Amino acid sequence: MKRSYPSGHEKRKRKQHKSELQEQQADMSAASCLRSEDQFLCSICLDVFTDPVSTPCGHNFCKNCINEHWNSDDQYLCPLCKKVFNTRPELLVNTLLSEVVSQFRQEAQQKASSSSSEQQAAKPGEVPCDVCTGTKLKALKSCLVCLTSYCETHLEPHLTALSLKRHQLIDPVENLEDRMCMKHDKPLELFCKTDQTCVCMLCSVLDHKTHEFVPLKEEYEGKKAELEKTEAEIQEMIQKRRLKIQEIKHSVDLSKEAADREKAEGVQVFTALMESVERGKKNLINSINKKKKKTEKQAEDFIKELEQEISELKKRSSEVEKLSHSEDHLHLLQNFPSLKAAPPTKDWTEISVRPSYERTVVKAVAQLEETLSEQMKKLIEAELKRIQQYAVDVTLDPDTANPDLILSDDGKQVYCGDVEKYLPDNPERFSLCPDVLGKQSLSSGRFYFEVQVKEKTEWNLGVARESIDRKGQITVSPQYGYWTIWLRNGNEYKALVGPSRRLSLKSQPQKVGVFVDYEEGLVSFYDVGAAALIYSFTGCSFTEKLYPYFSPCDNDDGRNSAPLIICPVNQTE
């Protein structure tokens, strides 16, 4: 069936009718508040009387309504009592009813005005009533048929008048014209699932006739369910982020506690060191003063003794001089032996006063160094205890092991065998160097593991990034993705920083601890038994996964046959 589209004239007429209808509804709404509205309704148009007239049978109608009714009918029939008139009756103006309706309208307008003052004016962002003049009240509903939004007062006809009750009311919305089909000027009532758009009834049989349609409500329910699912997902994401905020705040609290603890420990250590320095300085000064006093006392005694000898020598000199001038031959000969004898003195040739201060300061500094070493050991022990909480259960990855290596069944031990095994040359495997990686990786946070190196003369330990070259001869340095230390010739330790750096260790480690802080860019090695730091790579930039790296090195005819053993942390040796 061919359908015609509304012309521009029809649209203007419809809008005019809409405006008139709004005015009538406003009047009717007000009137309903004063008297029973049913008393003043025309039975043809079901609206309040306009120019009421009476028929000979005594019934009242709008003048225009009854005339149009009789113009469209072949006989003159009363719409209410069905009485038939042979000739068109003369219609008489019902003066009394006209006055009552007029009064009814005035009272309704006054009531509407009073009611409007009690209702809430529309605020910014709220939908205003389209019928209100002057102050626009807040709309309670919008009509999809009238394309008008109504406040409480002006909504009344839609709730009471039979002709308006069939209209579709929704929660108030703006731009009601957007809910009409731009092409057919019909309400958008269907949803085209093919084009994913809202359409009117005419669209479904004209422009979209081969498409799949569902009522707006059905699609609304489906989309609403999707939105509820999306909302649940968003709420879950929000909750996860709130938990992450709590986690971060907790981390900040832990950081503060750790900082306060480190600060307290640092202050305690440096206070002890300063006290040790002050004590050493005081002891040094006292020692020097004692030596000074001892030297002065020794010098004083020597001088006193020397002065005593000088006095004795002067006395003998006087006696010798006197005897030498004697003319008495007998007297000179008799006293000569006593004066010729050695004077009562000692040999002062090898005697001297030599203050010994040379080693005093050295000894004091050596004592301070010993104290510092003790404090350093305590700090390393405490640091080891803290980082051991990040211990991970590392196992060796056989897919990366060089064919010369022998791995234990539990993946905890590795050594170099005498015979090369035939293994598939997969991309992960080291083809030439006797190396192997751990299965576990790290791309954030911290981890720690310990390796027994006892009875070995050569080994390599550390971490390596995932993309390292594993084929042929490799260069072990940070530039190529390795952060390691090694032992060679039984006692030569080096950090492979490229060029390598020789390490001076007080003792040979029996167990080495490896600690990594990914975000901090730190790789540290510890002598677990001596509680000493071996070496730290700092300021590293990690962008890939890191894997534990092991190399037991060549067997060396049995001299280096002991395995590298991954030990449980805090294992009793």
Side-chain angles (χ1 to χ4, degrees):
M1 177 179 179
K2 185 176 181 181
R3 297 179 181 271
S4 60
Y5 300 119
S7 65
H9 175 71
E10 289 175 335
K11 290 184 177 180
R12 288 193 298 271
K13 185 177 180 181
R14 183 178 296 174
K15 290 182 178 178
Q16 182 179 2
H17 173 70
K18 168 186 170 183
S19 178
E20 293 174 352
L21 182 61
Q22 290 173 358
E23 293 178 1
Q24 293 177 7
Q25 289 167 345
D27 293 342
M28 291 169 61
S29 174
S32 65
C33 302
L34 302 174
R35 295 184 175 91
S36 174
E37 184 181 15
D38 294 339
Q39 300 175 24
F40 307 103
L41 293 183
C42 170
S43 59
I44 297 176
C45 67
L46 300 178
D47 281 343
V48 177
F49 288 116
T50 302
D51 298 331
V53 295
S54 299
T55 61
C57 58
H59 295 115
N60 300 304
F61 305 95
C62 295
K63 183 178 181 181
N64 188 55
C65 290
I66 190 63
N67 282 328
E68 286 186 359
H69 177 70
W70 284 343
N71 289 339
S72 62
D73 202 349
D74 295 336
Q75 56 183 351
Y76 305 116
L77 178 72
C78 176
L80 286 178
C81 66
K82 309 301 181 182
K83 181 176 181 179
V84 179
F85 302 99
N86 296 325
T87 60
R88 185 165 184 150
E90 180 181 358
L91 298 175
L92 302 177
V93 175
N94 192 327
T95 305
L96 178 60
L97 183 58
S98 296
E99 292 177 354
V100 173
V101 169
S102 176
Q103 184 180 2
F104 176 81
R105 291 182 185 276
Q106 291 178 0
E107 291 176 352
Q109 289 176 355
Q110 292 176 359
K111 183 64 177 179
S113 176
S114 174
S115 176
S116 297
S117 63
E118 295 176 0
Q119 296 181 48
Q120 186 178 7
K123 298 177 182 178
E126 295 179 338
V127 179
C129 175
D130 293 328
V131 181
C132 288
T133 58
T135 302
K136 295 284 188 179
L137 300 184
K138 176 182 176 182
L140 292 184
K141 293 289 182 180
S142 295
C143 177
L144 293 180
V145 178
C146 303
L147 297 182
T148 306
S149 297
Y150 299 105
C151 64
E152 182 180 356
T153 299
H154 296 129
L155 181 64
E156 186 67 22
H158 276 76
L159 303 178
T160 56
L162 295 178
S163 62
L164 300 177
K165 283 184 178 181
R166 294 188 297 270
H167 290 191
Q168 184 177 356
L169 298 177
I170 61 172
D171 290 335
V173 293
E174 293 182 315
N175 303 322
L176 283 166
E177 289 77 7
D178 294 342
R179 296 176 175 270
M180 300 293 289
C181 177
M182 298 294 292
K183 188 172 183 179
H184 305 119
D185 199 26
K186 296 290 184 182
L188 299 172
E189 301 178 87
L190 300 174
F191 184 80
C192 176
K193 297 182 73 68
T194 306
D195 292 342
Q196 291 292 299
T197 185
C198 298
V199 297
C200 69
M201 294 297 293
L202 285 177
C203 291
S204 66
V205 296
L206 295 177
D207 304 325
H208 301 256
K209 58 184 178 181
T210 61
H211 294 179
E212 180 184 357
F213 296 94
V214 293
L216 283 183
K217 184 176 181 181
E218 180 178 333
E219 185 65 20
Y220 161 83
E221 295 295 340
K223 289 294 190 289
K224 185 178 180 181
E226 290 183 21
L227 288 177
E228 289 175 352
K229 181 180 178 181
T230 302
E231 173 65 12
E233 292 173 351
I234 293 174
Q235 289 300 324
E236 184 179 357
M237 294 171 66
I238 291 173
Q239 185 62 24
K240 287 182 178 178
R241 280 149 182 77
R242 284 176 176 166
L243 291 175
K244 179 58 69 174
I245 289 174
Q246 293 178 3
E247 179 185 332
I248 293 173
K249 287 182 176 179
H250 181 61
S251 298
V252 171
D253 293 337
L254 292 178
S255 174
K256 183 178 181 301
E257 292 174 4
D260 292 341
R261 184 173 58 252
E262 287 290 315
K263 192 186 301 181
E265 291 179 1
V267 169
Q268 182 180 358
V269 169
F270 277 93
T271 299
L273 290 176
M274 287 189 290
E275 290 175 353
S276 179
V277 170
E278 287 296 325
R279 188 166 53 251
K281 182 176 75 172
K282 185 177 180 180
N283 292 339
L284 172 65
I285 293 172
N286 289 339
S287 176
I288 293 174
N289 287 337
K290 282 182 180 180
K291 289 186 177 182
K292 175 186 172 187
K293 287 181 180 180
K294 182 179 179 180
T295 302
E296 291 174 349
K297 179 67 170 60
Q298 186 183 38
E300 184 180 339
D301 291 343
F302 284 161
I303 291 172
K304 195 172 186 180
E305 190 175 352
L306 285 168
E307 287 177 344
Q308 182 66 33
E309 289 188 4
I310 289 172
S311 177
E312 292 293 334
L313 289 173
K314 282 183 177 181
K315 182 179 178 181
R316 176 168 288 202
S317 175
S318 176
E319 291 176 353
V320 169
E321 182 181 4
K322 182 179 178 181
L323 183 61
S324 66
H325 290 88
S326 175
E327 297 294 335
D328 186 347
H329 301 156
L330 179 62
H331 176 71
L332 186 146
L333 293 174
Q334 288 177 339
N335 291 286
F336 180 80
S338 62
L339 294 176
K340 183 63 177 174
T345 60
K346 63 182 180 182
D347 185 5
W348 292 88
T349 305
E350 301 297 330
I351 297 176
S352 64
V353 177
R354 294 185 183 138
S356 177
Y357 301 121
E358 291 80 5
R359 300 286 301 171
T360 308
V361 177
V362 173
K363 288 180 180 179
V365 173
Q367 182 63 42
L368 185 61
E369 184 180 8
E370 184 178 342
T371 302
L372 183 60
S373 296
E374 292 175 358
Q375 292 291 338
M376 193 65 182
K377 184 174 182 180
K378 291 180 181 178
L379 287 176
I380 296 298
E381 287 175 348
E383 182 176 319
L384 261 176
K385 192 172 183 180
R386 281 197 297 272
I387 66 176
Q388 283 174 340
Q389 67 178 310
Y390 300 106
V392 293
D393 184 16
V394 175
T395 53
L396 301 171
D397 185 357
D399 291 336
T400 66
N402 177 270
D404 291 339
L405 299 183
I406 307 297
L407 276 60
S408 62
D409 293 339
D410 62 359
K412 295 294 185 179
Q413 300 185 29
V414 59
Y415 64 93
C416 190
D418 297 323
V419 180
E420 181 178 353
K421 301 187 298 298
Y422 176 75
L423 296 173
D425 187 21
N426 51 288
E428 296 85 7
R429 191 178 307 283
F430 290 94
S431 63
L432 185 61
C433 298
D435 301 341
V436 62
L437 298 180
K439 288 183 178 180
Q440 293 70 26
S441 65
L442 175 78
S443 56
S444 65
R446 304 166 180 173
F447 73 78
Y448 174 82
F449 60 95
E450 293 179 353
V451 182
Q452 180 179 301
V453 296
K454 186 166 55 176
E455 299 179 2
K456 291 195 65 63
T457 59
E458 294 186 358
W459 49 258
N460 286 31
L461 280 179
V463 293
R465 68 186 179 209
E466 187 175 26
S467 64
I468 53 173
D469 184 13
R470 311 180 191 199
K471 305 303 179 182
Q473 201 69 40
I474 60 176
T475 302
V476 181
S477 70
Q479 180 181 356
Y480 295 95
Y482 295 85
W483 291 266
T484 66
I485 61 172
W486 75 10
L487 167 67
R488 292 293 184 270
N489 302 320
N491 59 4
E492 295 177 8
Y493 296 91
K494 288 185 179 181
L496 304 183
V497 294
S500 59
R501 180 176 300 174
R502 191 177 183 87
L503 304 175
S504 298
L505 306 183
K506 292 183 178 180
S507 61
Q508 289 189 314
Q510 302 297 298
K511 185 188 294 184
V512 176
V514 183
F515 173 68
V516 178
D517 187 327
Y518 196 95
E519 283 75 21
E520 190 70 20
L522 173 70
V523 182
S524 294
F525 299 86
Y526 295 88
D527 181 342
V528 178
L533 176 66
I534 298 175
Y535 186 78
S536 285
F537 291 87
T538 58
C540 308
S541 179
F542 301 131
T543 57
E544 302 178 22
K545 291 181 179 179
L546 297 180
Y547 289 85
Y549 165 81
F550 309 86
S551 177
C553 296
D554 294 333
N555 186 288
D556 194 19
D557 295 329
R559 288 185 290 273
N560 190 38
S561 60
L564 290 176
I565 303 175
I566 303 171
C567 306
V569 175
N570 295 329
Q571 179 186 24
T572 303
E573 297 185 4

